[in-house]
mmCIF file of all heavy atoms in Angstrom:
data_model
loop_
_atom_site.group_PDB
_atom_site.id
_atom_site.type_symbol
_atom_site.label_atom_id
_atom_site.label_comp_id
_atom_site.label_asym_id
_atom_site.label_seq_id
_atom_site.Cartn_x
_atom_site.Cartn_y
_atom_site.Cartn_z
ATOM 1 N N ILE N 6 15.772 -2.867 -12.067
ATOM 2 C CA ILE N 6 15.701 -2.055 -10.839
ATOM 3 C C ILE N 6 15.517 -3.008 -9.661
ATOM 4 O O ILE N 6 14.594 -3.831 -9.647
ATOM 5 C CB ILE N 6 14.543 -1.041 -10.875
ATOM 6 C CG1 ILE N 6 14.656 -0.133 -12.104
ATOM 7 C CG2 ILE N 6 14.527 -0.204 -9.597
ATOM 8 C CD1 ILE N 6 13.512 0.869 -12.259
ATOM 9 N N CYS N 8 14.961 -3.181 -5.533
ATOM 10 C CA CYS N 8 14.558 -2.351 -4.404
ATOM 11 C C CYS N 8 15.006 -3.008 -3.096
ATOM 12 O O CYS N 8 14.651 -4.157 -2.802
ATOM 13 C CB CYS N 8 13.042 -2.136 -4.389
ATOM 14 S SG CYS N 8 12.592 -0.971 -3.088
ATOM 15 N N LEU N 10 14.421 -3.009 0.464
ATOM 16 C CA LEU N 10 13.254 -2.540 1.220
ATOM 17 C C LEU N 10 13.595 -1.919 2.558
ATOM 18 O O LEU N 10 13.021 -0.911 2.952
ATOM 19 C CB LEU N 10 12.303 -3.713 1.509
ATOM 20 C CG LEU N 10 11.646 -4.441 0.341
ATOM 21 C CD1 LEU N 10 10.702 -5.515 0.886
ATOM 22 C CD2 LEU N 10 10.907 -3.480 -0.565
ATOM 23 N N ALA N 31 5.432 -6.942 2.549
ATOM 24 C CA ALA N 31 4.731 -7.378 1.333
ATOM 25 C C ALA N 31 4.148 -6.180 0.596
ATOM 26 O O ALA N 31 4.246 -6.080 -0.630
ATOM 27 C CB ALA N 31 3.646 -8.386 1.695
ATOM 28 N N THR N 32 3.561 -5.243 1.336
ATOM 29 C CA THR N 32 2.988 -4.058 0.685
ATOM 30 C C THR N 32 4.084 -3.220 0.054
ATOM 31 O O THR N 32 3.968 -2.738 -1.081
ATOM 32 C CB THR N 32 2.212 -3.214 1.724
ATOM 33 O OG1 THR N 32 1.183 -4.041 2.256
ATOM 34 C CG2 THR N 32 1.599 -1.973 1.107
ATOM 35 N N SER N 33 5.173 -3.068 0.780
ATOM 36 C CA SER N 33 6.284 -2.273 0.273
ATOM 37 C C SER N 33 6.883 -2.920 -0.990
ATOM 38 O O SER N 33 7.182 -2.226 -1.975
ATOM 39 C CB SER N 33 7.331 -2.164 1.372
ATOM 40 O OG SER N 33 8.080 -1.006 1.219
ATOM 41 N N ALA N 34 7.027 -4.232 -0.959
ATOM 42 C CA ALA N 34 7.550 -4.948 -2.142
ATOM 43 C C ALA N 34 6.590 -4.778 -3.311
ATOM 44 O O ALA N 34 7.007 -4.534 -4.449
ATOM 45 C CB ALA N 34 7.735 -6.426 -1.817
ATOM 46 N N TRP N 35 5.298 -4.887 -3.032
ATOM 47 C CA TRP N 35 4.299 -4.755 -4.095
ATOM 48 C C TRP N 35 4.349 -3.347 -4.718
ATOM 49 O O TRP N 35 4.301 -3.202 -5.943
ATOM 50 C CB TRP N 35 2.903 -5.057 -3.525
ATOM 51 C CG TRP N 35 1.833 -4.934 -4.560
ATOM 52 C CD1 TRP N 35 1.517 -5.839 -5.543
ATOM 53 C CD2 TRP N 35 0.951 -3.822 -4.741
ATOM 54 N NE1 TRP N 35 0.508 -5.353 -6.319
ATOM 55 C CE2 TRP N 35 0.133 -4.118 -5.858
ATOM 56 C CE3 TRP N 35 0.783 -2.611 -4.073
ATOM 57 C CZ2 TRP N 35 -0.849 -3.240 -6.310
ATOM 58 C CZ3 TRP N 35 -0.198 -1.738 -4.531
ATOM 59 C CH2 TRP N 35 -0.998 -2.051 -5.629
ATOM 60 N N GLU N 36 4.478 -2.345 -3.878
ATOM 61 C CA GLU N 36 4.540 -0.962 -4.394
ATOM 62 C C GLU N 36 5.801 -0.769 -5.264
ATOM 63 O O GLU N 36 5.754 -0.113 -6.302
ATOM 64 C CB GLU N 36 4.530 0.044 -3.242
ATOM 65 C CG GLU N 36 3.164 0.126 -2.575
ATOM 66 C CD GLU N 36 3.162 0.902 -1.244
ATOM 67 O OE1 GLU N 36 4.249 1.236 -0.730
ATOM 68 O OE2 GLU N 36 2.056 1.141 -0.741
ATOM 69 N N ALA N 37 6.895 -1.366 -4.823
ATOM 70 C CA ALA N 37 8.144 -1.253 -5.593
ATOM 71 C C ALA N 37 8.021 -1.990 -6.927
ATOM 72 O O ALA N 37 8.435 -1.484 -7.981
ATOM 73 C CB ALA N 37 9.296 -1.828 -4.769
ATOM 74 N N TRP N 38 7.443 -3.162 -6.889
ATOM 75 C CA TRP N 38 7.280 -4.016 -8.085
ATOM 76 C C TRP N 38 6.351 -3.324 -9.092
ATOM 77 O O TRP N 38 6.637 -3.263 -10.287
ATOM 78 C CB TRP N 38 6.721 -5.343 -7.585
ATOM 79 C CG TRP N 38 6.356 -6.389 -8.568
ATOM 80 C CD1 TRP N 38 7.187 -7.057 -9.428
ATOM 81 C CD2 TRP N 38 5.056 -6.952 -8.762
ATOM 82 N NE1 TRP N 38 6.481 -8.001 -10.133
ATOM 83 C CE2 TRP N 38 5.176 -7.952 -9.741
ATOM 84 C CE3 TRP N 38 3.811 -6.728 -8.187
ATOM 85 C CZ2 TRP N 38 4.093 -8.719 -10.165
ATOM 86 C CZ3 TRP N 38 2.731 -7.498 -8.601
ATOM 87 C CH2 TRP N 38 2.874 -8.469 -9.587
ATOM 88 N N ARG N 39 5.273 -2.759 -8.585
ATOM 89 C CA ARG N 39 4.306 -2.063 -9.446
ATOM 90 C C ARG N 39 4.972 -0.880 -10.166
ATOM 91 O O ARG N 39 4.650 -0.545 -11.291
ATOM 92 C CB ARG N 39 3.158 -1.551 -8.561
ATOM 93 C CG ARG N 39 1.976 -0.954 -9.286
ATOM 94 C CD ARG N 39 1.024 -0.328 -8.304
ATOM 95 N NE ARG N 39 1.708 0.648 -7.446
ATOM 96 C CZ ARG N 39 1.156 1.281 -6.420
ATOM 97 N NH1 ARG N 39 -0.097 1.033 -6.080
ATOM 98 N NH2 ARG N 39 1.834 2.153 -5.705
ATOM 99 N N GLU N 40 5.940 -0.269 -9.515
ATOM 100 C CA GLU N 40 6.623 0.885 -10.121
ATOM 101 C C GLU N 40 7.782 0.470 -11.024
ATOM 102 O O GLU N 40 8.410 1.322 -11.641
ATOM 103 C CB GLU N 40 7.143 1.836 -9.038
ATOM 104 C CG GLU N 40 6.076 2.449 -8.148
ATOM 105 C CD GLU N 40 5.118 3.390 -8.893
ATOM 106 O OE1 GLU N 40 5.415 3.778 -10.043
ATOM 107 O OE2 GLU N 40 4.064 3.725 -8.314
ATOM 108 N N GLY N 41 8.119 -0.825 -11.047
ATOM 109 C CA GLY N 41 9.152 -1.268 -11.988
ATOM 110 C C GLY N 41 10.293 -2.081 -11.394
ATOM 111 O O GLY N 41 11.203 -2.471 -12.131
ATOM 112 N N ALA N 42 10.266 -2.364 -10.100
ATOM 113 C CA ALA N 42 11.350 -3.186 -9.534
ATOM 114 C C ALA N 42 11.139 -4.649 -9.944
ATOM 115 O O ALA N 42 10.029 -5.166 -9.837
ATOM 116 C CB ALA N 42 11.367 -3.068 -8.015
ATOM 117 N N SER N 43 12.215 -5.280 -10.411
ATOM 118 C CA SER N 43 12.099 -6.710 -10.746
ATOM 119 C C SER N 43 12.807 -7.572 -9.706
ATOM 120 O O SER N 43 12.638 -8.787 -9.698
ATOM 121 C CB SER N 43 12.661 -6.993 -12.138
ATOM 122 O OG SER N 43 13.929 -6.414 -12.289
ATOM 123 N N VAL N 44 13.600 -6.943 -8.850
ATOM 124 C CA VAL N 44 14.330 -7.669 -7.798
ATOM 125 C C VAL N 44 14.039 -7.001 -6.451
ATOM 126 O O VAL N 44 14.081 -5.771 -6.342
ATOM 127 C CB VAL N 44 15.860 -7.648 -8.044
ATOM 128 C CG1 VAL N 44 16.598 -8.412 -6.952
ATOM 129 C CG2 VAL N 44 16.216 -8.210 -9.422
ATOM 130 N N ILE N 45 13.755 -7.809 -5.457
ATOM 131 C CA ILE N 45 13.570 -7.303 -4.092
ATOM 132 C C ILE N 45 14.724 -7.816 -3.234
ATOM 133 O O ILE N 45 14.912 -9.039 -3.088
ATOM 134 C CB ILE N 45 12.223 -7.788 -3.488
ATOM 135 C CG1 ILE N 45 11.022 -7.260 -4.297
ATOM 136 C CG2 ILE N 45 12.113 -7.410 -2.009
ATOM 137 C CD1 ILE N 45 10.839 -5.750 -4.277
ATOM 138 N N LYS N 73 1.906 -11.484 -3.032
ATOM 139 C CA LYS N 73 1.540 -10.216 -3.704
ATOM 140 C C LYS N 73 2.287 -10.002 -5.011
ATOM 141 O O LYS N 73 1.788 -9.305 -5.899
ATOM 142 C CB LYS N 73 1.833 -9.032 -2.759
ATOM 143 C CG LYS N 73 0.713 -8.796 -1.740
ATOM 144 C CD LYS N 73 0.986 -7.498 -1.004
ATOM 145 C CE LYS N 73 -0.120 -7.067 -0.105
ATOM 146 N NZ LYS N 73 -1.166 -6.296 -0.718
ATOM 147 N N CYS N 74 3.469 -10.552 -5.131
ATOM 148 C CA CYS N 74 4.293 -10.325 -6.346
ATOM 149 C C CYS N 74 4.806 -11.686 -6.806
ATOM 150 O O CYS N 74 5.950 -12.038 -6.509
ATOM 151 C CB CYS N 74 5.510 -9.453 -6.067
ATOM 152 S SG CYS N 74 5.307 -8.127 -4.899
ATOM 153 N N PRO N 75 3.985 -12.453 -7.519
ATOM 154 C CA PRO N 75 4.332 -13.853 -7.790
ATOM 155 C C PRO N 75 5.628 -14.044 -8.567
ATOM 156 O O PRO N 75 6.331 -15.019 -8.338
ATOM 157 C CB PRO N 75 3.142 -14.371 -8.602
ATOM 158 C CG PRO N 75 2.052 -13.372 -8.424
ATOM 159 C CD PRO N 75 2.678 -12.072 -8.015
ATOM 160 N N ASP N 76 5.963 -13.128 -9.485
ATOM 161 C CA ASP N 76 7.123 -13.417 -10.337
ATOM 162 C C ASP N 76 8.377 -12.624 -9.966
ATOM 163 O O ASP N 76 9.409 -12.760 -10.606
ATOM 164 C CB ASP N 76 6.775 -13.159 -11.811
ATOM 165 C CG ASP N 76 6.532 -11.672 -12.076
ATOM 166 O OD1 ASP N 76 6.222 -10.936 -11.118
ATOM 167 O OD2 ASP N 76 6.656 -11.254 -13.242
ATOM 168 N N VAL N 77 8.306 -11.798 -8.916
ATOM 169 C CA VAL N 77 9.464 -10.964 -8.599
ATOM 170 C C VAL N 77 10.645 -11.839 -8.155
ATOM 171 O O VAL N 77 10.445 -12.941 -7.612
ATOM 172 C CB VAL N 77 9.082 -9.925 -7.514
ATOM 173 C CG1 VAL N 77 9.118 -10.534 -6.110
ATOM 174 C CG2 VAL N 77 9.956 -8.690 -7.575
ATOM 175 N N LYS N 239 7.988 8.662 0.927
ATOM 176 C CA LYS N 239 6.794 8.120 1.593
ATOM 177 C C LYS N 239 6.752 6.595 1.497
ATOM 178 O O LYS N 239 6.028 5.954 2.238
ATOM 179 C CB LYS N 239 5.531 8.695 0.948
ATOM 180 C CG LYS N 239 5.318 10.182 1.225
ATOM 181 C CD LYS N 239 3.858 10.556 0.873
ATOM 182 C CE LYS N 239 3.649 12.054 0.899
ATOM 183 N NZ LYS N 239 4.442 12.754 -0.160
ATOM 184 N N SER N 240 7.495 6.043 0.550
ATOM 185 C CA SER N 240 7.480 4.580 0.371
ATOM 186 C C SER N 240 8.672 4.174 -0.488
ATOM 187 O O SER N 240 9.279 5.013 -1.172
ATOM 188 C CB SER N 240 6.194 4.149 -0.343
ATOM 189 O OG SER N 240 6.184 4.675 -1.661
ATOM 190 N N ASN N 241 8.935 2.862 -0.487
ATOM 191 C CA ASN N 241 9.931 2.342 -1.427
ATOM 192 C C ASN N 241 9.464 2.552 -2.861
ATOM 193 O O ASN N 241 10.275 2.826 -3.750
ATOM 194 C CB ASN N 241 10.167 0.857 -1.148
ATOM 195 C CG ASN N 241 11.200 0.630 -0.064
ATOM 196 O OD1 ASN N 241 12.352 1.074 -0.193
ATOM 197 N ND2 ASN N 241 10.807 -0.032 1.012
ATOM 198 N N GLY N 242 8.157 2.424 -3.073
ATOM 199 C CA GLY N 242 7.607 2.603 -4.422
ATOM 200 C C GLY N 242 7.946 3.972 -4.987
ATOM 201 O O GLY N 242 8.241 4.117 -6.180
ATOM 202 N N GLU N 243 7.921 4.973 -4.128
ATOM 203 C CA GLU N 243 8.216 6.328 -4.593
ATOM 204 C C GLU N 243 9.676 6.430 -5.094
ATOM 205 O O GLU N 243 9.949 7.104 -6.089
ATOM 206 C CB GLU N 243 8.007 7.295 -3.421
ATOM 207 C CG GLU N 243 7.419 8.600 -3.815
ATOM 208 C CD GLU N 243 7.125 9.505 -2.615
ATOM 209 O OE1 GLU N 243 7.852 9.457 -1.592
ATOM 210 O OE2 GLU N 243 6.180 10.272 -2.715
ATOM 211 N N LEU N 244 10.577 5.764 -4.395
ATOM 212 C CA LEU N 244 11.990 5.786 -4.816
ATOM 213 C C LEU N 244 12.160 5.064 -6.158
ATOM 214 O O LEU N 244 12.899 5.521 -7.036
ATOM 215 C CB LEU N 244 12.871 5.142 -3.746
ATOM 216 C CG LEU N 244 12.910 5.865 -2.391
ATOM 217 C CD1 LEU N 244 13.599 4.996 -1.332
ATOM 218 C CD2 LEU N 244 13.630 7.217 -2.504
ATOM 219 N N VAL N 245 11.465 3.935 -6.296
ATOM 220 C CA VAL N 245 11.557 3.180 -7.557
ATOM 221 C C VAL N 245 10.965 4.005 -8.696
ATOM 222 O O VAL N 245 11.533 4.075 -9.794
ATOM 223 C CB VAL N 245 10.842 1.816 -7.438
ATOM 224 C CG1 VAL N 245 10.788 1.108 -8.791
ATOM 225 C CG2 VAL N 245 11.535 0.930 -6.406
ATOM 226 N N ARG N 246 9.829 4.668 -8.415
ATOM 227 C CA ARG N 246 9.198 5.469 -9.478
ATOM 228 C C ARG N 246 10.153 6.547 -9.992
ATOM 229 O O ARG N 246 10.239 6.812 -11.176
ATOM 230 C CB ARG N 246 7.899 6.106 -8.982
ATOM 231 C CG ARG N 246 7.134 6.786 -10.139
ATOM 232 C CD ARG N 246 5.925 7.581 -9.677
ATOM 233 N NE ARG N 246 5.218 6.886 -8.633
ATOM 234 C CZ ARG N 246 4.700 7.467 -7.551
ATOM 235 N NH1 ARG N 246 4.791 8.777 -7.387
ATOM 236 N NH2 ARG N 246 4.077 6.759 -6.631
ATOM 237 N N LYS N 247 10.878 7.152 -9.075
ATOM 238 C CA LYS N 247 11.801 8.230 -9.491
ATOM 239 C C LYS N 247 12.864 7.688 -10.463
ATOM 240 O O LYS N 247 13.218 8.356 -11.432
ATOM 241 C CB LYS N 247 12.442 8.860 -8.243
ATOM 242 C CG LYS N 247 13.303 10.055 -8.554
ATOM 243 C CD LYS N 247 13.542 10.923 -7.339
ATOM 244 C CE LYS N 247 14.624 11.955 -7.616
ATOM 245 N NZ LYS N 247 14.769 12.933 -6.557
ATOM 246 N N ALA N 249 12.470 4.951 -12.350
ATOM 247 C CA ALA N 249 11.782 4.532 -13.579
ATOM 248 C C ALA N 249 11.540 5.757 -14.464
ATOM 249 O O ALA N 249 11.729 5.707 -15.693
ATOM 250 C CB ALA N 249 10.473 3.832 -13.233
ATOM 251 N N HIS N 253 12.915 6.426 -18.275
ATOM 252 C CA HIS N 253 12.070 6.809 -19.422
ATOM 253 C C HIS N 253 12.632 8.056 -20.098
ATOM 254 O O HIS N 253 12.693 8.128 -21.318
ATOM 255 C CB HIS N 253 10.623 7.058 -18.972
ATOM 256 C CG HIS N 253 9.928 5.793 -18.539
ATOM 257 N ND1 HIS N 253 9.938 4.635 -19.285
ATOM 258 C CD2 HIS N 253 9.204 5.498 -17.425
ATOM 259 C CE1 HIS N 253 9.274 3.684 -18.650
ATOM 260 N NE2 HIS N 253 8.825 4.175 -17.513
ATOM 261 N N ILE N 259 12.486 -0.599 -18.969
ATOM 262 C CA ILE N 259 12.601 -1.282 -17.671
ATOM 263 C C ILE N 259 12.372 -2.789 -17.865
ATOM 264 O O ILE N 259 11.407 -3.184 -18.521
ATOM 265 C CB ILE N 259 11.515 -0.764 -16.693
ATOM 266 C CG1 ILE N 259 11.464 0.760 -16.655
ATOM 267 C CG2 ILE N 259 11.681 -1.375 -15.297
ATOM 268 C CD1 ILE N 259 12.613 1.412 -15.992
ATOM 269 N N ALA N 260 13.226 -3.594 -17.272
ATOM 270 C CA ALA N 260 13.092 -5.059 -17.399
ATOM 271 C C ALA N 260 11.998 -5.596 -16.478
ATOM 272 O O ALA N 260 11.869 -5.162 -15.334
ATOM 273 C CB ALA N 260 14.427 -5.721 -17.049
ATOM 274 N N PRO N 262 10.610 -9.002 -14.368
ATOM 275 C CA PRO N 262 11.395 -10.045 -13.699
ATOM 276 C C PRO N 262 11.890 -11.120 -14.669
ATOM 277 O O PRO N 262 13.047 -11.553 -14.584
ATOM 278 C CB PRO N 262 10.414 -10.604 -12.663
ATOM 279 C CG PRO N 262 9.552 -9.415 -12.320
ATOM 280 C CD PRO N 262 9.352 -8.706 -13.631
#
Side-chain angles (χ1 to χ4, degrees):
I6 304 177
C8 186
L10 297 183
T32 300
S33 207
W35 180 78
E36 288 168 351
W38 176 64
R39 187 188 54 186
E40 298 295 346
S43 49
V44 180
I45 298 295
K73 278 189 173 274
C74 323
D76 67 338
V77 81
K239 291 195 190 65
S240 65
N241 275 301
E243 217 176 32
L244 296 169
V245 173
R246 188 187 320 139
K247 185 161 169 172
H253 291 311
I259 311 289

